[in-house]
């Protein structure tokens, strides 16, 4: 009778689509189903048997993970029901397991741990995809807002000028000289119109691909590509670029976006250098808890953060009254690219001291 | 000097140089004795009003102000104007001259007391005549 119920219990445990195992107080396997054995083999390449101490192979294979497990087991041995989601990867394949670790109590004493893990990869991957789609939609929506802002505010300007010129040319009493002056403005208006239309196309293209090609990119290569492309500006300004990428040499990312970020920030530092001092640009990378942090620090003009604040990332925003060659697109494109890569950018600055951009990716 | 200051004065504030040139030509050819001053940097327009226009108490002016300007928006310009003496601003007829087709710009300018109207770019011969007669 007993053996029949034991056999049926075993069959249930064996056939359940979850990892099931139990440990005694010394973390020796009391019981496990074949799915667990298979998973351990896949992940750690270890064959386990009843009586093995779970930490024997865990410490050898992955000491950091082992200490995480020790903390969880310890709380369960203290009487808590412990739940958590764990990501594992075997080769290319990522899976997510939701673990439940509960104390086994016999005669009022905790004698071991009952552990169950359900594969929630499908749900989790769907959730991650949903998050990604939401983020993409958010970014796209923001693009459309910018797009419609340009159409409303910038596209009509040059057209209005052309209409104004036509109006003037229609007036009979206007002198030849004035008409000639008006005609000379046709070209500049048409060119400006052309610029705005090109900008619109740039903005849309910046976010065209939802999942663009990612590759391994070294920061040092990006810096040298950028300085090559603006070689004459760098030489003319006498700028020095000091980089420190020791802690993190590169990233898996979209190369063209990273290039655009470096290009715009470096050329801004040169353009907005402080008169009378040579531009010094420091670029550092480091690892953080959330990923990657890249900082760009210069000794340039700086700006009044309180007065301009977040506006500096806005489209067509220019705020250095004496420097008028910029279009007000650079920082907008930087922010766009950082956000499309799922990151964020912040700025700190002081007038006459310099500016620091911090990018988290 | 006394006759000169009584010429109709137009102050154009717009970062778009082409717009200022065309508007200047249109005004000059519509109202031949008009005096037109233009400012691409709004800050300089404010300085002119404060330092030159304000001290000549007999002058009136028509201000044509663009909204969407990178260094200082038309809204910020208006904020600064409101800080000036009422005696000075009372002598200025403020009009927005904008290419914006954003309805919220028109609505917002309607809520500012010293703004007499919202003119759609471009400025035309006809608009200038209408402004003169109001």
């Amino acid at each position: 009778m007993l053996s029949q119920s034991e056999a049926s219990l075993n069959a249930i445990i064996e056939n359940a689509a979850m990892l099931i195992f139990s440990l005694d107080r010394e973390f020796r396997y009391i019981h496990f189903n074949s799915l667990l054995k298979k998973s351990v083999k896949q992940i750690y390449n270890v064959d386990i048997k009843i009586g093995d101490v779970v930490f024997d192979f865990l410490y050898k294979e992955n000491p950091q993970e082992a200490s995480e497990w020790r903390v969880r087991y310890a709380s369960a041995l203290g009487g808590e029901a412990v739940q958590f989601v764990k990501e594992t990867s075997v080769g290319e394949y990522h899976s997510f397991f939701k673990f439940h670790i509960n104390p086994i109590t016999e005669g009022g004493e905790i004698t071991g741990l009952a552990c169950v893990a359900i594969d929630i990869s499908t749900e989790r991957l769907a959730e991650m995809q949903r998050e990604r789609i939401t983020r993409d939609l958010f970014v796209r929506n923001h693009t459309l807002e910018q797009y419609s802002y340009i159409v409303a505010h910038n596209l009509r300007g040059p057209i209005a000028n052309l209409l104004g010129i036509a109006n003037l040319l229609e007036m009979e009493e206007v002198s030849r000289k004035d008409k000639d002056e008006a005609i000379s403005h046709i070209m500049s208006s048409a060119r400006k119109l052309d610029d705005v239309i090109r900008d619109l196309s740039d903005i849309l293209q910046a976010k065209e691909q939802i999942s663009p090609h990612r590759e391994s990119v070294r920061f040092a290569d990006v810096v040298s590509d950028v300085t090559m492309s603006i070689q004459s500006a760098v030489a003319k300004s006498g700028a020095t670029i000091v980089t420190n990428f020791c802690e993190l040499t590169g990233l898996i990312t979209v190369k063209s976006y990273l290039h655009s970020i470096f290009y715009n920030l470096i050329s801004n530092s040169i353009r907005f250098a402080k008169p009378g001092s040579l531009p010094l640009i420091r670029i550092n990378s480091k690892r953080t808890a959330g990923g990657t942090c890249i900082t760009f620090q210069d000794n340039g003009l700086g700006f009044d953060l309180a007065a301009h604040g977040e506006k500096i990332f806005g489209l067509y925003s220019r705020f250095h009254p004496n420097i008028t060659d910029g279009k007000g697109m650079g920082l907008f494109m930087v922010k766009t690219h950082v956000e499309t890569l799922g990151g964020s950018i912040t700025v700190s600055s002081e007038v006459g001291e310099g500016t620091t951009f911090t990018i988290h990716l | 000097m006394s006759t000169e200051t009584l010429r109709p004065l137009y102050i154009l504030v717009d970062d778009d140089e082409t717009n200022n040139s065309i508007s200047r030509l249109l005004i000059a050819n519509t109202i031949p004795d008009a005096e037109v001053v233009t400012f691409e940097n709004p800050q300089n327009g404010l300085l002119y009003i404060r330092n030159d226009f304000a001290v000549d108490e007999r002058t009136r002016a028509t201000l044509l102000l663009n909204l969407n300007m990178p260094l200082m928006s038309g809204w910020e310009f208006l904020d600064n104007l409101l800080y000036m003496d009422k005696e000075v601003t009372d002598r200025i007829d403020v009009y927005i001259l904008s290419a914006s087709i954003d309805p919220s710009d028109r609505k917002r300018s309607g809520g500012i007391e010293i703004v007499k109207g919202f003119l759609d770019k471009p400025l035309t011969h006809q608009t200038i005549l209408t402004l003169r007669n109001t």
Side-chain angles (χ1 to χ4, degrees), chain A residues 149 151-154 156-158 160-161 163-165 167-168 171 173-175 178 181-182 185 188-189 192 308 311 316-321, chain B residues 15-22 24-26 28-30 41 68-72 76 98-102 105 120-126:
Chain A
Y149 183 88
V151 171
H153 295 88
N154 301 84
R156 261 207 84 234
N161 283 342
L163 291 171
I165 292 166
N167 185 256
L168 190 84
M171 288 167 65
E173 59 276 33
V174 178
S175 70
D178 284 0
E181 191 189 335
H185 286 293
S188 65
S189 301
K192 201 170 283 173
H308 300 289
K311 246 172 64 181
Y316 293 131
S317 105
R318 290 192 349 236
F319 49 88
H320 285 293
Chain B
D15 62 306
D16 180 359
E17 212 175 321
T18 305
N19 171 71
N20 289 344
S21 302
I22 302 301
R24 178 204 289 275
L25 290 174
L26 276 165
N29 281 286
T30 307
N41 183 343
N68 188 37
M69 299 181 283
L71 295 174
M72 176 192 268
E76 290 169 274
S98 168
S100 168
I101 42 175
D102 184 344
D105 284 340
D120 256 325
K121 277 187 183 176
L123 190 64
T124 61
H125 175 66
Q126 195 50 52

Side-chain angles (χ1 to χ4, degrees), chain A residues 158-357:
Chain A
I159 296 175
N161 283 342
L162 290 169
L163 291 171
I165 292 166
N167 185 256
L168 190 84
L169 293 177
E170 273 173 1
M171 288 167 65
E172 278 166 12
E173 59 276 33
V174 178
S175 70
R176 186 72 232 167
K177 184 175 150 283
D178 284 0
K179 286 198 174 175
D180 283 347
E181 191 189 335
I183 290 168
S184 75
H185 286 293
I186 292 178
M187 191 59 170
S188 65
S189 301
R191 195 166 281 146
K192 201 170 283 173
L193 184 57
D194 193 44
D195 281 348
V196 175
I197 290 168
R198 280 169 201 275
D199 289 348
L200 281 175
S201 149
D202 282 352
I203 289 163
L204 280 198
Q205 263 166 19
K207 292 162 180 167
E208 200 170 60
Q209 295 165 289
I210 289 199
S211 311
H213 174 63
R214 285 169 187 262
E215 59 193 303
S216 169
V217 185
R218 292 181 62 234
F219 297 132
D221 292 345
V222 180
V223 172
S224 86
D225 283 355
V226 168
T227 45
M228 274 295 242
S229 68
I230 51 169
Q231 206 171 14
S232 68
V234 174
K236 211 171 117 195
S237 66
T240 310
I241 301 175
V242 180
T243 61
N244 183 349
F245 302 133
C246 296
E247 199 181 316
L248 186 68
T249 55
L251 262 186
I252 306 279
T253 189
V254 182
K255 193 177 176 183
S256 60
Y257 291 179
L258 200 66
H259 186 277
S260 150
I261 294 165
F262 276 64
Y263 171 86
N264 283 300
L265 292 179
I266 292 172
S267 41
N268 269 6
S269 288
I270 292 174
R271 190 185 298 144
F272 303 118
K274 202 162 43 187
S277 58
L278 294 174
L280 176 64
I281 307 163
R282 288 178 193 280
I283 311 172
N284 296 319
S285 61
K286 62 173 193 253
R287 264 180 233 281
T288 59
T292 307
C293 172
I294 313 170
T295 52
F296 292 78
Q297 187 190 6
D298 70 32
N299 61 342
L301 285 171
F303 63 91
D304 186 350
L305 199 59
H308 300 289
E310 282 295 302
K311 246 172 64 181
I312 66 156
F313 293 111
L315 189 58
Y316 293 131
S317 105
R318 290 192 349 236
F319 49 88
H320 285 293
N322 302 320
I323 298 163
T324 50
D325 62 328
K327 276 201 299 181
M329 280 282 284
L331 288 180
F332 172 76
M333 294 305 272
V334 168
K335 190 167 200 273
T336 301
H337 285 134
V338 169
E339 285 175 356
T340 312
L341 293 172
S344 63
I345 180 165
T346 55
V347 61
S348 65
S349 187
E350 218 167 296
V351 176
E353 296 298 318
T355 306
T356 303
F357 288 96

